[in-house]
Amino acid sequence: MRRITALLLAGLATLTLTGCRRGPGLLPYAREIEDMELMQTLGVDRAGEGQVEVTASSGSGDPAEGAATVVSGQAGTISAAVLGMQGEGSSYLYFGHVGQLLLGEELARQGVEPALDYILRDVETRLDTALYLVRGGTAGKAITAAGEDGSAADRLEALAEDAGLLAGSMPRTVKDALSDLYAQGATFLPAVEADEALTAAGYGILKGDRLAGWAEGDAALGVNLVLGQVDADVVELPLDGGGVAALRVVGARTSVRPVMDGGALTGLSLTCTLDANMAEGNVDLRTEEVHASLETALAQVEEARIRSALELAQELDADYLGLLRRAALARPWHKEALEGASLGALELELHVTAKLQRSYDAAR
């Protein structure tokens, strides 16, 4: 945590000293744009004792020019590996357009701090760089596979744009990760498989700066519900008379407050309210009994998903959802009791309700 704090303070100091301009010696040499290869994706993996392997990829570019340019190199640090790759391309490799950073699973288990430190300090990279973990593989393999038919940048940009439709994935940046690790000691990052499509694979949970576990399936959906990042989650519910009703969850709001016993913190209480509408189903929402039964069934399904995310947080004792911080904001007079609390030792209460809109009659 001290290192994460130091990184943030270093970044702030740099901005304070330089403002919107960079001082002498910080800018790369001026080059003509036609003499540069714009790299858009960077991958970092562990490569033996004290070594890292860095893989960089351009965008897909002009289809007539073929697939994306993919280069790689090894060194003791990311900076040295990037510098060593300059001889691999036909043009000068420019990293000022890097929009995505992929970290391999093995490296993430060892610690992501050096990679975040590189993004924070390097003159060409940005804190709004999207950050991903590669589950069950290496970042180099993922970038190379995606580059065989397009580019990793294209795949990841499409994934980010569709995140609201996936209901179990959301974009995260280097800045998000640093802020969370500083404030709550844990965070979560979207995970992808090392395949050609860079398929979404839930979230990786970081405790400190190391990968501690994975939120997949219901747990990943629960993360989005707790944080209100749900645009089009479709839940299928069996009907009493046969058939299936499909309800589209279009919103979720979750509040967190501390549960106190005298002056001692004993738990947290979470209240989640869902907004949904009928996507498909031969039912008459004008019937109060049918309407209420669908709301109850939907609340039960989504409650199970949220509980999966909460159980993971307690199992890892990692407040990756920022529950303690949210509880302190809701009840600031209990902030002292909440600071340094362990989620694993607290009882987490959960109350979920669903509101199914009556905007139209699906049976018509």
Side-chain angles (χ1 to χ4, degrees):
M1 286 304 301
R2 291 180 178 176
R3 282 283 295 161
I4 296 296
T5 303
L7 293 180
L8 289 171
L9 291 177
L12 180 60
T14 301
L15 292 175
T16 303
L17 291 172
T18 63
C20 297
R21 302 176 60 188
R22 301 191 186 274
L26 292 180
L27 283 172
Y29 293 111
R31 298 177 186 272
E32 297 295 334
I33 188 67
E34 59 267 21
D35 297 329
M36 301 167 63
E37 187 81 37
L38 305 182
M39 311 311 288
Q40 296 189 29
T41 307
L42 201 65
V44 186
D45 294 295
R46 187 167 181 249
E49 190 64 30
Q51 295 282 299
V52 293
E53 180 172 6
V54 179
T55 305
S57 171
S58 66
S60 56
D62 187 347
E65 298 178 2
T69 297
V70 178
V71 296
S72 63
Q74 291 188 20
T77 63
I78 299 174
S79 298
V82 168
L83 182 61
M85 287 192 292
Q86 287 297 345
E88 299 294 326
S90 59
S91 305
Y92 173 78
L93 304 181
Y94 178 62
F95 292 87
H97 278 256
V98 168
Q100 302 99 12
L101 174 65
L102 280 73
L103 305 179
E105 180 173 340
E106 187 177 357
L107 178 133
R109 292 194 182 281
Q110 187 180 39
V112 304
E113 183 182 305
L116 302 185
D117 186 23
Y118 170 76
I119 297 296
L120 178 64
R121 297 178 185 278
D122 187 76
V123 67
E124 293 182 343
T125 56
R126 309 183 305 272
L127 286 176
D128 63 356
T129 299
L131 187 56
Y132 297 88
L133 299 180
V134 180
R135 183 170 185 179
T138 65
K141 179 181 177 181
I143 291 173
T144 301
E148 293 177 358
D149 182 22
S151 73
D154 294 340
R155 305 285 189 186
L156 294 173
E157 286 173 2
L159 183 63
E161 291 174 358
D162 294 340
L165 302 177
L166 297 176
S169 181
M170 73 177 80
R172 304 279 287 165
T173 67
V174 172
K175 181 180 179 181
D176 293 331
L178 284 171
S179 297
D180 283 356
L181 292 176
Y182 170 72
Q184 59 206 35
T187 190
F188 67 97
L189 299 173
V192 295
E193 300 285 355
D195 54 20
E196 293 181 4
L198 294 178
T199 307
Y203 299 108
I205 309 304
L206 297 184
K207 182 178 180 181
D209 76 323
R210 301 192 176 200
L211 177 64
W214 301 99
E216 55 185 333
D218 283 352
L221 295 169
V223 170
N224 283 43
L225 290 167
V226 171
L227 298 178
Q229 298 295 315
V230 180
D231 295 329
D233 179 17
V234 175
V235 178
E236 296 178 329
L237 302 174
L239 298 173
D240 292 338
V244 176
L247 305 186
R248 180 180 289 109
V249 180
V250 295
R253 299 177 301 281
T254 302
S255 61
V256 186
R257 64 175 180 82
V259 177
M260 309 295 294
D261 183 5
L265 176 69
T266 60
L268 298 176
S269 178
L270 287 80
T271 301
C272 179
T273 302
L274 308 170
D275 293 319
N277 55 45
M278 179 68 71
E280 185 178 345
N282 187 25
V283 296
D284 187 351
L285 294 182
R286 293 172 297 184
T287 304
E288 187 61 36
E289 182 179 356
V290 172
H291 187 268
S293 66
L294 287 174
E295 288 184 331
T296 299
L298 175 60
Q300 290 174 346
V301 170
E302 299 294 59
E303 179 178 337
R305 292 173 171 176
I306 295 175
R307 286 195 183 280
S308 294
L310 298 180
E311 288 169 0
L312 180 60
Q314 290 193 297
E315 177 186 338
L316 300 176
D317 193 18
D319 188 18
Y320 68 95
L321 295 169
L323 301 179
L324 294 170
R325 182 169 54 169
R326 293 172 66 178
L329 289 174
R331 301 289 190 273
W333 51 92
H334 292 311
K335 181 179 180 181
E336 185 175 348
L338 290 160
E339 289 180 343
S342 169
L343 282 183
L346 299 178
E347 180 179 352
L348 302 184
E349 303 173 2
L350 177 60
H351 310 277
V352 180
T353 58
K355 295 181 179 180
L356 181 58
Q357 304 300 320
R358 299 175 182 267
S359 57
Y360 57 90
D361 178 10
R364 295 167 61 184

